[in-house]
Amino acid sequence: MISDNDVAKIASLARLTLTPEESSRYAAELSRILEYVQQLDSYSVEGVEPLSHVHGASNVFREDTPTPSLPFEGEVSTNAPDKSGRFFRVPLIIE
Amino acid sequence: MTDLASLTATEIASELDRGSLSSVELTRSLLTRAESKRGLNAFLDLYSDVALASAEEADKRRRAGERGPLLGVPVAIKDVILVKGTKTTCGSRMLANFLSPYDATVVSKLRKSGAVLFGKTNMDEFAMGSSTENSAFGPVQNPWNKAYVPGGSSGGSAAAVSARIAPLALGSDTGGSIRQPASFTGIVGMKPTYGRTSRYGLVAYASSLDQIGPFARSVKDCAHLLETISGFDPSDSTSMDVPVPSWSEELTQGIKGLRIGVPKQYFIEGLHPEVEQAVRAALQWYEGQGASLVEVDLPHTEAALSTYYILAPAEASSNLARFDGVRYGHRAAEPTDLIDLYCRSRSEGFGTEVKRRIMIGTYVLSSGYYDAFYLRAQKVRALIKNDFDKVFSSQCDLLACPTAPTPAFRIGEKVDDPLTMYLSDVFTITVNLAGLPGLSLPCGFSSSQLPIGLQLIGKPWDEGTLLRAAYAYEQQHDWHTRVPQ
Amino acid sequence: MSMEFESVIGLEVHVQLATETKIFCGSSTRFGGDPNEFIDPVTLGLPGALPVLNRRVVEFAIMLGKATKCEIRRFNRFARKHYFYPDLPKGYQISQFEEPICERGSLEVHFENAVRTVGIRRIHMEEDAGKNMHDTRTETSLIDLNRAGVPLLEIVSEPDLRTPAEASAYLRTLRQMVRFLGVSDGNMEEGSLRCDANISLRPVGELKFGTRTEIKNLNSFRFVERALEYEIARQTSLLRAGQKVVQETLLYDSAADVTRSMRGKEESSDYRYFPDPDLPPLIIEEGWVNQIVGSMPRLPDQWRKELTENYGLSNYDASVLLAESENVAFFQAVFDICQNAKAACNWVTSELFGYLHKNSLTLAHSPIKPADLGALIKLIDDEVLSGKMAKSVFEEMFATSQSPQEIIEKKGLKQIANPDEIQQLVTDTISKFSSQFDAYAQGNDRLHGFFVGEVMKLSRGAANPKLVNNAILDAVKKRRSS
């Protein structure tokens, strides 16, 4: 079971703000979904290697040669929600 | 005008070759048709002027003697694939104003082939959905019945091709997002082997499952489009350097002697009787043509949905972390501090289903749960792939089964029940988990005149056998020629 | 009696690699440049962008791993480490988690005339973040992503260090190592080498570790020592007062010379690591490792042995040459021409370094190229130039960057070594100072030096002094016997 507390913790990790309605709704839905996926517990996976790359490729490289940069002017600059000169701008970061 | 619209890409190319049609004429006519079909809500952006300009360019290239199956042929593109200088929204408020700073590799390939980039199609937000109801820009209607969904997440592309607005379209398929809408709209749709088409410039949903693939109204068209977009891409480390055969030229090799596996786990309770009937009839036809049917066992099929709904949201929660309102995308007004900027921008920018999957994904990756969920799901994924490896190594050359358990459902019917919605992908998800090629082709209609799809599943890199088997069926059936009214 | 404590220190060092391009894309790694100049879809974390691994990064990691006697992992994966920060474009950093490329190595540190072996727990590859600049006046932070995606190696030591000075010596040795290997410029001012320290105290004799704190932002050798000293003092007084050390992350404030608790990252982190699905596994076969080892430059310890045992240099001279990899490379290039190790070492470390220092230049900007310095030494050894002439030629070389041959040619500075010419110079000098010569011949041997000096003066310093010396002795002998 996913508690409201769990939902709050997950939402904070995922940087989402949920309304109280959303929170209780997600708590219920997530509980159902997680309960459903727990059927995986009934499969024996002993000695099975986890599959993260389906076609088994390995060692894909690029050589250390430069490629052209994207100009800041143009789409990059247009897409920036807030900027100052050539910088992206955000509220003051407190360290 | 209807005539032009119902031409397949192959027919268009030969008309263009003969000079009896120009790409500009065709494109203009299809743009007009798109305008008249606005109600379907299949398109988020029509490239009107740009499309006409590239049609003109294609006509010029043809006049200069150049030939090619896609030269001058309009192709619609799911709005999850970047086309430089145009908007890519992913059906999300988050990217409502996002201008693509670069071309996806498949788009560069289309440009080279001379295809006319026609416009961007509507979709479930960030490709998360099975009905295209999760678009921030409204649901797409099924051309066969406007009260029904076209399937998803590539519902806009499917509807555009089915409604004869574009002869071809690109979609993306993570758990069935090409094949299921192809099935719901009565057209051909294919997800190639994982690694066959480049994902560079495809906005990632679940990186280990996503593949771009074609929608078409004929198998030959499908083969042409797939040939054009396939191949190793040095910008995508997961694309594979394997030869791309000339599938379109190998379609007529016949199906005699092909061993078709019929997985018993795909004919289950809950399978719509009319779907079962249509699929069984198609199987019988294959048998009658000299193929053999073998019942095969894929024992871990039942685990697929759970596996998928752990792995895909986990990867999604990670892939969607970049949408933070800093460099692009939606930013909340007047953030009080950094955390507020992140939380409100993301909460305002993402829709319900996207947030739901981010929540699931974040949960299953979080400390203390990783082994129980994510790691276990990756192991079960190995078991699922193993099932396929086993049957393909000795029992059959391809598999045949329904694409979806039901025909299209009503708009609104499942939106409030995520689990039931997820179940509509139950037959397609395994194919993504195992990285296999899968194709859906029309094989009948329900009593309420909704299309039904047959799914063919192949060995890795063996798209050729699927296309050949689909082509043979298509030559002797007319489902694909029926036009939604 | 108050309890005595021992400090237990481990360092986490981040080294920026000297590759041309970033770890997962072709953007330049250059330092400086306009803000957001070296960006591309991958650097910006644009939707749809995908990483492709720079082969050179792996080679550099293997080099450092082998140089620090690490085991190289065969099956490697990259993992995503998730956290939100404006300088981290994707919302995750691509790093290595439970499977670092190098493990269980060690580094020998020469410290206070002894050699300490410091354990290397792990070395792993990851990408750097961008840079945030803070403007408290406008209450905003500005983001520059030029540095985002620059390849890093994180080198984690075992907690084997016991004093701040030892920690600093370890860091110096590590810096020397990466510079000798050429995998990084190790420039702390530009942030190519960054250091965090873990420190805890325990009563002397106790084996269990105490509660540790982590100090971030130690960007000079001096700061490493000062921050650790401050922290030792702080922890000591806490423990003596019977209080507890709180496990936390501290930031060293060099201006105030104190460590402060970090406020911004208060949330206990849950990085949600998982294998990056965009990057296939990296499998390192032994053949590849051997090939890299075969092409590795000589390491500091190997150099020291070579310099002292084969080149006959003193341990002190070797240390001077090994302080920077350029020094020894320069020395080697000089030696290759002149084949005289002692002279090469002297000319490089005293003459050249002195002139460079006077002119505020570094070796990289030396106006004298090593081959020219080697040629100069050879001219001395071949007795073409006298030591005195060589000095003036050296000055001219430093001023004009010309080769010694060019300068000799230009100034007609060639040493006179022809016996007839020498004889003539001696004869002329004797006739000029005939009375002095008579005195010399009659037994006043102290006048020998006077004649040598006068002959040299007459030749304007160009005569070979040894030949002059002999010619004068011959002349005296001749007079005495006549």
Side-chain angles (χ1 to χ4, degrees), chain C residues 116-267:
Chain C
R116 288 269 287 114
T117 301
V118 179
I120 302 289
R121 182 176 291 172
R122 58 181 281 164
I123 300 175
H124 73 253
M125 303 173 276
E126 62 184 26
E127 57 180 340
D128 207 345
K131 273 185 181 157
N132 306 319
M133 267 136 289
H134 310 300
D135 183 350
T136 42
R137 192 181 49 83
T138 59
E139 296 257 301
T140 56
S141 293
L142 304 177
I143 320 297
D144 172 13
L145 296 175
N146 282 347
R147 199 180 67 177
V150 169
L152 294 177
L153 291 181
E154 181 179 318
I155 303 127
V156 183
S157 83
E158 294 291 349
D160 289 348
L161 301 159
R162 291 293 169 268
T163 65
E166 215 172 86
S168 163
Y170 162 81
L171 191 60
R172 277 174 209 275
T173 309
L174 187 59
R175 178 175 178 274
Q176 183 191 40
M177 179 73 88
V178 297
R179 287 172 59 84
F180 269 72
L181 289 170
V183 304
S184 172
D185 65 19
N187 187 331
M188 290 186 89
E189 276 157 34
E190 291 180 2
S192 313
L193 191 133
R194 308 195 285 269
C195 180
D196 301 337
N198 287 307
I199 169 154
S200 62
L201 298 191
R202 63 182 172 191
V204 171
E206 170 69 59
L207 289 179
K208 237 174 59 193
F209 292 138
T211 306
R212 64 183 184 146
T213 56
E214 185 181 357
I215 317 172
K216 294 216 172 264
N217 199 25
L218 304 175
N219 48 21
S220 80
F221 296 111
R222 204 161 54 101
F223 291 169
V224 169
E225 292 195 43
R226 280 172 44 183
L228 285 171
E229 274 156 13
Y230 175 87
E231 186 58 15
I232 290 169
R234 190 185 73 89
Q235 290 190 16
T236 305
S237 60
L238 277 177
L239 294 174
R240 289 220 169 111
Q243 290 174 300
K244 281 200 170 117
V245 173
V246 180
Q247 182 165 348
E248 62 182 335
T249 302
L250 305 165
L251 198 64
Y252 178 62
D253 178 344
S254 56
D257 191 21
V258 294
T259 61
R260 297 182 203 284
S261 192
M262 284 180 80
R263 282 194 295 145
K265 293 180 174 168
E266 80 288 350
E267 183 184 8

Side-chain angles (χ1 to χ4, degrees), chain B residues 126 270 332 335 354 373 451 459:
Chain B
F126 286 104
V354 172
F373 288 104
K459 300 175 184 176

Side-chain angles (χ1 to χ4, degrees), chain B residues 89-396:
Chain B
T89 70
C90 296
S92 181
R93 195 168 133 69
M94 178 59 84
L95 292 180
N97 298 308
F98 178 72
L99 272 182
S100 319
Y102 70 103
D103 266 341
T105 300
V106 293
V107 169
S108 308
K109 285 173 182 274
L110 282 180
R111 287 191 201 274
K112 235 173 101 190
S113 76
V116 173
L117 305 184
F118 188 76
K120 300 300 275 297
T121 59
N122 203 349
M123 55 183 283
D124 281 307
E125 185 177 3
F126 286 104
M128 298 179 194
S130 313
S131 66
T132 318
E133 291 166 287
N134 296 336
S135 168
F137 309 105
V140 176
Q141 298 173 340
N142 191 322
W144 292 92
N145 186 331
K146 296 177 176 15
Y148 285 74
V149 303
S153 65
S154 315
S157 284
V161 173
S162 166
R164 272 65 180 165
I165 299 170
L168 295 170
L170 290 185
S172 66
D173 190 318
T174 306
S177 283
I178 292 174
R179 290 158 291 154
Q180 185 251 29
S183 159
F184 280 15
T185 59
I187 58 173
V188 181
M190 186 166 197
K191 181 201 92 79
T193 311
Y194 184 81
R196 178 65 93 180
T197 56
S198 167
R199 295 188 295 115
Y200 188 73
L202 166 70
V203 182
Y205 158 23
S207 315
S208 76
L209 303 162
D210 297 341
Q211 259 315 264
I212 293 174
F215 285 103
R217 285 197 302 271
S218 81
V219 174
K220 191 164 193 177
D221 283 10
C222 176
H224 278 307
L225 182 50
L226 186 62
E227 274 167 33
T228 306
I229 61 169
S230 291
F232 172 68
D233 176 10
S235 299
D236 175 0
S237 312
T238 63
S239 77
M240 278 282 261
D241 198 357
V242 289
V244 178
S246 301
W247 294 303
S248 57
E249 286 163 26
E250 295 165 3
L251 295 172
T252 53
Q253 288 173 359
I255 52 164
K256 229 170 223 118
L258 268 189
R259 297 169 303 161
I260 302 178
V262 183
K264 61 181 179 201
Q265 283 83 0
Y266 287 64
F267 294 85
I268 45 162
E269 219 176 302
L271 178 59
H272 194 284
E274 292 176 350
V275 171
E276 173 155 16
Q277 210 179 355
V279 170
R280 294 258 186 227
L283 293 173
Q284 261 169 22
W285 179 87
Y286 275 113
E287 199 171 26
Q289 296 297 305
S292 58
L293 301 183
V294 209
E295 190 185 70
V296 298
D297 190 17
L298 299 169
H300 294 93
T301 301
E302 254 187 75
L305 205 61
S306 295
T307 305
Y308 179 87
Y309 278 99
I310 291 168
L311 298 180
E315 292 182 17
S317 71
S318 170
N319 287 328
L320 269 56
R322 67 189 61 198
F323 301 104
D324 57 6
V326 174
R327 298 162 315 287
Y328 50 80
H330 177 73
R331 176 185 287 205
E334 289 170 35
T336 55
D337 59 20
L338 196 59
I339 300 275
D340 183 53
L341 165 73
Y342 287 141
C343 291
R344 276 202 297 125
S345 300
R346 289 167 61 78
S347 301
E348 293 167 10
F350 293 137
T352 303
E353 182 61 28
V354 172
K355 282 189 245 187
R356 182 182 289 128
R357 295 197 197 186
I358 290 175
M359 293 288 289
I360 300 172
T362 304
Y363 180 81
V364 299
L365 288 178
S366 65
S367 130
Y369 299 100
Y370 179 83
D371 287 3
F373 288 104
Y374 190 82
L375 197 64
R376 177 167 276 269
Q378 277 197 322
K379 290 178 178 175
V380 177
R381 183 176 182 184
L383 296 175
I384 292 166
K385 180 173 183 287
N386 201 25
D387 283 356
F388 284 103
D389 289 348
K390 257 192 213 150
V391 298
F392 281 137
S393 74
S394 58
Q395 298 172 39
C396 59

Side-chain angles (χ1 to χ4, degrees), chain A residues 48-64:
Chain A
V48 179
E49 277 298 309
L51 180 67
S52 54
H53 293 276
V54 75
H55 52 40
S58 62
N59 293 21
V60 183
F61 299 115
R62 34 175 288 276
E63 298 308 320
D64 186 27

